[in-house]
Amino acid sequence: MSPQQIASIAHIGFLVLPNFSMIAFTNAVEPLRMANYLSRKKLYRWSVISCHDTPVAASNGLTLAPTCKPEEVPQPDVLFVCGGTGIREVVDERVISTLRRYAQAGVPLGALCTGTFALAKAGVLNGYRCSIHWENLSAIREEFPAIHFSSELFVMDRDRFTCSGGTAPLDLMLNIIRQKGGKSLAADVSEQFIVERIRDEKDQQHIPLVARIGSGHESLLEAAIAMENNIENPVSLEKLAEDLGLSLRHLERLFKRYLGTTPAQYYLDLRLRRARELLLQTSMSVMEVTVACGFQSSSHFSKSYRGVFGYPPSKERQPETHHSVM
């Protein structure tokens, strides 16, 4: 969707599935409420929808009411599926057929937490990039090869809005609110919720390495930990392999097989992610960040940063051109 189309969103539907994540749902609804309150306008309204005839309980046991059946609610401008625990058991034919009807009607679709699985199961995510909670990434990638699953906090790909869950829906909604109410309103909403900054699509979920590669790969884990502990003064890959009692070729095979990358690229990405955190969350100068993240020159740092994020590190310090800086 274009920024203008996102700005036109006014009615948001939330299709809640049994055992949905209450924190993800609340972090999606509350920014909308606050945007209305601060703007003193009815910018947004929302409907809570259920495919079942009984009140829907969240994974924490609290029940959400009132809810409406899909046919009782005017067609929303976007529909978010709210998932949680036991997602495979609750995505039944009623849920799948409901999602397919909305898709056929041209309604943009979204998902919070494991709700992405419901969209995938309904076949309405093929060819899209999307996000899901990191615990589900490995299994769902194998099951739905036609979908590109990302480790980003949230993904806005054309008419699909998917989010990893937890507090990430707050950031997704703030980015949506920004299109309608401007950067100032989005900043005001974030300040009301004591949010330090609005994260964007370039922010990644922090996925524990053991969750990405499984247990039984101590050498790979030790290598990654050593890299994390040597950001400012990077160690050579030859020295790293030697310290682990491995050959460099063996180390490269481990990274390629279990992480799909090279040790050098993994190390560089690690340093660049740390650099972005420092640029966004501290007052350190770009040169200070360059040194703190182990880059020998500002030109090398800028070129590497642009290669990953699409813009130079200096842009992180320009609120008018990069909206996540508060």
mmCIF file of all heavy atoms in Angstrom, residues 220 223 227 235-256 261-265 267:
data_model
loop_
_atom_site.group_PDB
_atom_site.id
_atom_site.type_symbol
_atom_site.label_atom_id
_atom_site.label_comp_id
_atom_site.label_asym_id
_atom_site.label_seq_id
_atom_site.Cartn_x
_atom_site.Cartn_y
_atom_site.Cartn_z
ATOM 1 N N LEU A 220 29.910 -23.443 17.381
ATOM 2 C CA LEU A 220 29.295 -22.317 16.700
ATOM 3 C C LEU A 220 28.833 -21.271 17.711
ATOM 4 O O LEU A 220 29.002 -20.064 17.509
ATOM 5 C CB LEU A 220 28.127 -22.808 15.843
ATOM 6 C CG LEU A 220 27.453 -21.790 14.919
ATOM 7 C CD1 LEU A 220 28.482 -21.137 14.004
ATOM 8 C CD2 LEU A 220 26.382 -22.470 14.082
ATOM 9 N N ALA A 223 31.835 -19.446 19.050
ATOM 10 C CA ALA A 223 32.343 -18.498 18.059
ATOM 11 C C ALA A 223 31.516 -17.221 18.063
ATOM 12 O O ALA A 223 32.060 -16.107 18.027
ATOM 13 C CB ALA A 223 32.331 -19.133 16.674
ATOM 14 N N MET A 227 32.616 -13.349 19.136
ATOM 15 C CA MET A 227 32.413 -12.183 18.273
ATOM 16 C C MET A 227 31.708 -11.073 19.030
ATOM 17 O O MET A 227 32.088 -9.892 18.944
ATOM 18 C CB MET A 227 31.614 -12.582 17.031
ATOM 19 C CG MET A 227 32.357 -13.465 16.056
ATOM 20 S SD MET A 227 31.282 -13.953 14.668
ATOM 21 C CE MET A 227 32.411 -14.971 13.695
ATOM 22 N N VAL A 235 38.549 -9.751 16.465
ATOM 23 C CA VAL A 235 39.618 -10.740 16.329
ATOM 24 C C VAL A 235 39.567 -11.314 14.924
ATOM 25 O O VAL A 235 38.511 -11.349 14.282
ATOM 26 C CB VAL A 235 39.465 -11.871 17.371
ATOM 27 C CG1 VAL A 235 39.606 -11.318 18.778
ATOM 28 C CG2 VAL A 235 38.126 -12.575 17.219
ATOM 29 N N SER A 236 40.689 -11.757 14.428
ATOM 30 C CA SER A 236 40.714 -12.351 13.098
ATOM 31 C C SER A 236 40.013 -13.702 13.138
ATOM 32 O O SER A 236 39.972 -14.380 14.172
ATOM 33 C CB SER A 236 42.151 -12.526 12.615
ATOM 34 O OG SER A 236 42.800 -13.551 13.349
ATOM 35 N N LEU A 237 39.442 -14.083 12.015
ATOM 36 C CA LEU A 237 38.748 -15.373 11.950
ATOM 37 C C LEU A 237 39.738 -16.514 12.139
ATOM 38 O O LEU A 237 39.375 -17.564 12.697
ATOM 39 C CB LEU A 237 38.020 -15.491 10.615
ATOM 40 C CG LEU A 237 36.897 -14.474 10.382
ATOM 41 C CD1 LEU A 237 36.256 -14.697 9.012
ATOM 42 C CD2 LEU A 237 35.836 -14.560 11.471
ATOM 43 N N GLU A 238 40.958 -16.339 11.673
ATOM 44 C CA GLU A 238 41.979 -17.373 11.865
ATOM 45 C C GLU A 238 42.253 -17.596 13.350
ATOM 46 O O GLU A 238 42.335 -18.733 13.819
ATOM 47 C CB GLU A 238 43.271 -16.976 11.145
ATOM 48 C CG GLU A 238 43.193 -17.009 9.630
ATOM 49 C CD GLU A 238 42.512 -15.775 9.043
ATOM 50 O OE1 GLU A 238 42.179 -14.841 9.817
ATOM 51 O OE2 GLU A 238 42.315 -15.755 7.808
ATOM 52 N N LYS A 239 42.376 -16.486 14.105
ATOM 53 C CA LYS A 239 42.619 -16.585 15.551
ATOM 54 C C LYS A 239 41.416 -17.171 16.258
ATOM 55 O O LYS A 239 41.546 -17.996 17.184
ATOM 56 C CB LYS A 239 42.915 -15.189 16.104
ATOM 57 C CG LYS A 239 43.159 -15.124 17.618
ATOM 58 C CD LYS A 239 44.445 -15.838 17.987
ATOM 59 C CE LYS A 239 44.904 -15.478 19.408
ATOM 60 N NZ LYS A 239 43.917 -15.789 20.444
ATOM 61 N N LEU A 240 40.227 -16.773 15.831
ATOM 62 C CA LEU A 240 39.004 -17.299 16.427
ATOM 63 C C LEU A 240 38.915 -18.812 16.244
ATOM 64 O O LEU A 240 38.619 -19.559 17.191
ATOM 65 C CB LEU A 240 37.789 -16.620 15.791
ATOM 66 C CG LEU A 240 36.410 -16.958 16.362
ATOM 67 C CD1 LEU A 240 36.320 -16.570 17.826
ATOM 68 C CD2 LEU A 240 35.330 -16.243 15.568
ATOM 69 N N ALA A 241 39.174 -19.272 15.035
ATOM 70 C CA ALA A 241 39.126 -20.706 14.759
ATOM 71 C C ALA A 241 40.185 -21.450 15.568
ATOM 72 O O ALA A 241 39.918 -22.524 16.129
ATOM 73 C CB ALA A 241 39.325 -20.953 13.269
ATOM 74 N N GLU A 242 41.359 -20.861 15.656
ATOM 75 C CA GLU A 242 42.441 -21.501 16.411
ATOM 76 C C GLU A 242 42.085 -21.645 17.885
ATOM 77 O O GLU A 242 42.321 -22.695 18.503
ATOM 78 C CB GLU A 242 43.719 -20.677 16.258
ATOM 79 C CG GLU A 242 44.923 -21.252 16.986
ATOM 80 C CD GLU A 242 46.146 -20.365 16.872
ATOM 81 O OE1 GLU A 242 46.156 -19.469 15.994
ATOM 82 O OE2 GLU A 242 47.098 -20.570 17.660
ATOM 83 N N ASP A 243 41.498 -20.582 18.452
ATOM 84 C CA ASP A 243 41.100 -20.622 19.871
ATOM 85 C C ASP A 243 40.057 -21.697 20.132
ATOM 86 O O ASP A 243 39.970 -22.244 21.243
ATOM 87 C CB ASP A 243 40.566 -19.265 20.305
ATOM 88 C CG ASP A 243 41.648 -18.198 20.374
ATOM 89 O OD1 ASP A 243 42.837 -18.577 20.375
ATOM 90 O OD2 ASP A 243 41.303 -17.003 20.406
ATOM 91 N N LEU A 244 39.242 -21.993 19.120
ATOM 92 C CA LEU A 244 38.191 -23.007 19.271
ATOM 93 C C LEU A 244 38.685 -24.399 18.901
ATOM 94 O O LEU A 244 37.919 -25.368 19.013
ATOM 95 C CB LEU A 244 36.991 -22.638 18.391
ATOM 96 C CG LEU A 244 36.239 -21.356 18.766
ATOM 97 C CD1 LEU A 244 35.208 -21.015 17.694
ATOM 98 C CD2 LEU A 244 35.559 -21.513 20.121
ATOM 99 N N GLY A 245 39.911 -24.488 18.455
ATOM 100 C CA GLY A 245 40.445 -25.776 18.057
ATOM 101 C C GLY A 245 39.889 -26.270 16.746
ATOM 102 O O GLY A 245 39.790 -27.482 16.510
ATOM 103 N N LEU A 246 39.533 -25.337 15.858
ATOM 104 C CA LEU A 246 38.954 -25.681 14.565
ATOM 105 C C LEU A 246 39.814 -25.118 13.444
ATOM 106 O O LEU A 246 40.580 -24.168 13.649
ATOM 107 C CB LEU A 246 37.538 -25.102 14.430
ATOM 108 C CG LEU A 246 36.502 -25.454 15.488
ATOM 109 C CD1 LEU A 246 35.238 -24.642 15.252
ATOM 110 C CD2 LEU A 246 36.196 -26.948 15.477
ATOM 111 N N SER A 247 39.650 -25.676 12.276
ATOM 112 C CA SER A 247 40.251 -25.050 11.100
ATOM 113 C C SER A 247 39.322 -23.948 10.624
ATOM 114 O O SER A 247 38.110 -23.967 10.905
ATOM 115 C CB SER A 247 40.453 -26.072 9.985
ATOM 116 O OG SER A 247 39.200 -26.509 9.466
ATOM 117 N N LEU A 248 39.868 -22.965 9.914
ATOM 118 C CA LEU A 248 39.033 -21.889 9.393
ATOM 119 C C LEU A 248 37.984 -22.439 8.439
ATOM 120 O O LEU A 248 36.819 -21.986 8.461
ATOM 121 C CB LEU A 248 39.904 -20.853 8.670
ATOM 122 C CG LEU A 248 39.159 -19.675 8.030
ATOM 123 C CD1 LEU A 248 38.322 -18.929 9.067
ATOM 124 C CD2 LEU A 248 40.148 -18.729 7.344
ATOM 125 N N ARG A 249 38.335 -23.420 7.648
ATOM 126 C CA ARG A 249 37.373 -24.002 6.714
ATOM 127 C C ARG A 249 36.219 -24.676 7.455
ATOM 128 O O ARG A 249 35.073 -24.562 7.043
ATOM 129 C CB ARG A 249 38.083 -25.006 5.808
ATOM 130 C CG ARG A 249 37.171 -25.655 4.776
ATOM 131 C CD ARG A 249 37.947 -26.389 3.714
ATOM 132 N NE ARG A 249 38.714 -25.450 2.885
ATOM 133 C CZ ARG A 249 39.424 -25.826 1.832
ATOM 134 N NH1 ARG A 249 39.502 -27.109 1.496
ATOM 135 N NH2 ARG A 249 40.084 -24.927 1.121
ATOM 136 N N HIS A 250 36.538 -25.360 8.552
ATOM 137 C CA HIS A 250 35.480 -26.003 9.343
ATOM 138 C C HIS A 250 34.545 -24.957 9.940
ATOM 139 O O HIS A 250 33.310 -25.124 9.940
ATOM 140 C CB HIS A 250 36.095 -26.857 10.454
ATOM 141 C CG HIS A 250 35.092 -27.682 11.200
ATOM 142 N ND1 HIS A 250 35.372 -28.319 12.386
ATOM 143 C CD2 HIS A 250 33.791 -27.971 10.924
ATOM 144 C CE1 HIS A 250 34.293 -28.959 12.812
ATOM 145 N NE2 HIS A 250 33.316 -28.761 11.940
ATOM 146 N N LEU A 251 35.134 -23.862 10.431
ATOM 147 C CA LEU A 251 34.309 -22.783 10.993
ATOM 148 C C LEU A 251 33.393 -22.199 9.923
ATOM 149 O O LEU A 251 32.206 -21.932 10.175
ATOM 150 C CB LEU A 251 35.215 -21.696 11.561
ATOM 151 C CG LEU A 251 34.507 -20.526 12.275
ATOM 152 C CD1 LEU A 251 33.794 -21.010 13.528
ATOM 153 C CD2 LEU A 251 35.508 -19.433 12.623
ATOM 154 N N GLU A 252 33.911 -22.004 8.736
ATOM 155 C CA GLU A 252 33.100 -21.465 7.643
ATOM 156 C C GLU A 252 31.967 -22.410 7.280
ATOM 157 O O GLU A 252 30.851 -21.974 6.993
ATOM 158 C CB GLU A 252 33.998 -21.203 6.430
ATOM 159 C CG GLU A 252 34.954 -20.037 6.630
ATOM 160 C CD GLU A 252 35.952 -19.893 5.499
ATOM 161 O OE1 GLU A 252 36.173 -20.908 4.769
ATOM 162 O OE2 GLU A 252 36.505 -18.791 5.341
ATOM 163 N N ARG A 253 32.241 -23.711 7.307
ATOM 164 C CA ARG A 253 31.183 -24.688 7.001
ATOM 165 C C ARG A 253 30.071 -24.651 8.041
ATOM 166 O O ARG A 253 28.888 -24.762 7.701
ATOM 167 C CB ARG A 253 31.773 -26.094 6.911
ATOM 168 C CG ARG A 253 32.539 -26.370 5.627
ATOM 169 C CD ARG A 253 32.674 -27.861 5.377
ATOM 170 N NE ARG A 253 33.416 -28.512 6.446
ATOM 171 C CZ ARG A 253 34.725 -28.745 6.430
ATOM 172 N NH1 ARG A 253 35.458 -28.352 5.384
ATOM 173 N NH2 ARG A 253 35.325 -29.349 7.438
ATOM 174 N N LEU A 254 30.434 -24.484 9.308
ATOM 175 C CA LEU A 254 29.425 -24.416 10.368
ATOM 176 C C LEU A 254 28.496 -23.219 10.173
ATOM 177 O O LEU A 254 27.271 -23.339 10.281
ATOM 178 C CB LEU A 254 30.114 -24.325 11.737
ATOM 179 C CG LEU A 254 30.774 -25.587 12.279
ATOM 180 C CD1 LEU A 254 31.514 -25.282 13.580
ATOM 181 C CD2 LEU A 254 29.741 -26.698 12.514
ATOM 182 N N PHE A 255 29.075 -22.060 9.903
ATOM 183 C CA PHE A 255 28.265 -20.858 9.710
ATOM 184 C C PHE A 255 27.374 -20.989 8.475
ATOM 185 O O PHE A 255 26.203 -20.585 8.500
ATOM 186 C CB PHE A 255 29.168 -19.625 9.591
ATOM 187 C CG PHE A 255 29.487 -18.982 10.903
ATOM 188 C CD1 PHE A 255 30.532 -19.457 11.675
ATOM 189 C CD2 PHE A 255 28.735 -17.918 11.376
ATOM 190 C CE1 PHE A 255 30.833 -18.873 12.905
ATOM 191 C CE2 PHE A 255 29.020 -17.325 12.597
ATOM 192 C CZ PHE A 255 30.082 -17.813 13.363
ATOM 193 N N LYS A 256 27.927 -21.520 7.423
ATOM 194 C CA LYS A 256 27.156 -21.670 6.187
ATOM 195 C C LYS A 256 26.005 -22.642 6.369
ATOM 196 O O LYS A 256 24.874 -22.387 5.917
ATOM 197 C CB LYS A 256 28.075 -22.146 5.056
ATOM 198 C CG LYS A 256 27.432 -22.117 3.678
ATOM 199 C CD LYS A 256 27.120 -20.697 3.255
ATOM 200 C CE LYS A 256 26.566 -20.632 1.839
ATOM 201 N NZ LYS A 256 26.223 -19.257 1.441
ATOM 202 N N THR A 261 25.257 -18.114 6.279
ATOM 203 C CA THR A 261 26.123 -16.977 6.002
ATOM 204 C C THR A 261 27.569 -17.365 6.283
ATOM 205 O O THR A 261 27.851 -18.477 6.734
ATOM 206 C CB THR A 261 25.720 -15.757 6.852
ATOM 207 O OG1 THR A 261 26.444 -14.612 6.427
ATOM 208 C CG2 THR A 261 25.961 -16.010 8.331
ATOM 209 N N THR A 262 28.489 -16.453 6.030
ATOM 210 C CA THR A 262 29.892 -16.695 6.340
ATOM 211 C C THR A 262 30.221 -16.095 7.708
ATOM 212 O O THR A 262 29.524 -15.193 8.180
ATOM 213 C CB THR A 262 30.789 -16.043 5.280
ATOM 214 O OG1 THR A 262 30.616 -14.612 5.342
ATOM 215 C CG2 THR A 262 30.436 -16.548 3.876
ATOM 216 N N PRO A 263 31.293 -16.578 8.355
ATOM 217 C CA PRO A 263 31.687 -15.968 9.633
ATOM 218 C C PRO A 263 31.978 -14.477 9.489
ATOM 219 O O PRO A 263 31.611 -13.684 10.365
ATOM 220 C CB PRO A 263 32.944 -16.748 10.025
ATOM 221 C CG PRO A 263 32.854 -18.037 9.294
ATOM 222 C CD PRO A 263 32.141 -17.730 8.014
ATOM 223 N N ALA A 264 32.612 -14.095 8.370
ATOM 224 C CA ALA A 264 32.942 -12.680 8.165
ATOM 225 C C ALA A 264 31.684 -11.819 8.063
ATOM 226 O O ALA A 264 31.603 -10.734 8.660
ATOM 227 C CB ALA A 264 33.789 -12.525 6.904
ATOM 228 N N GLN A 265 30.673 -12.297 7.318
ATOM 229 C CA GLN A 265 29.433 -11.524 7.168
ATOM 230 C C GLN A 265 28.662 -11.472 8.470
ATOM 231 O O GLN A 265 28.084 -10.438 8.828
ATOM 232 C CB GLN A 265 28.564 -12.125 6.065
ATOM 233 C CG GLN A 265 27.358 -11.275 5.704
ATOM 234 C CD GLN A 265 27.738 -9.906 5.183
ATOM 235 O OE1 GLN A 265 28.550 -9.787 4.259
ATOM 236 N NE2 GLN A 265 27.179 -8.851 5.767
ATOM 237 N N TYR A 267 29.904 -11.587 11.497
ATOM 238 C CA TYR A 267 30.631 -10.669 12.368
ATOM 239 C C TYR A 267 30.363 -9.213 11.963
ATOM 240 O O TYR A 267 30.109 -8.343 12.802
ATOM 241 C CB TYR A 267 32.127 -10.977 12.264
ATOM 242 C CG TYR A 267 32.949 -10.637 13.486
ATOM 243 C CD1 TYR A 267 34.269 -11.076 13.577
ATOM 244 C CD2 TYR A 267 32.444 -9.874 14.544
ATOM 245 C CE1 TYR A 267 35.063 -10.781 14.689
ATOM 246 C CE2 TYR A 267 33.217 -9.585 15.654
ATOM 247 C CZ TYR A 267 34.526 -10.033 15.721
ATOM 248 O OH TYR A 267 35.298 -9.745 16.823
#
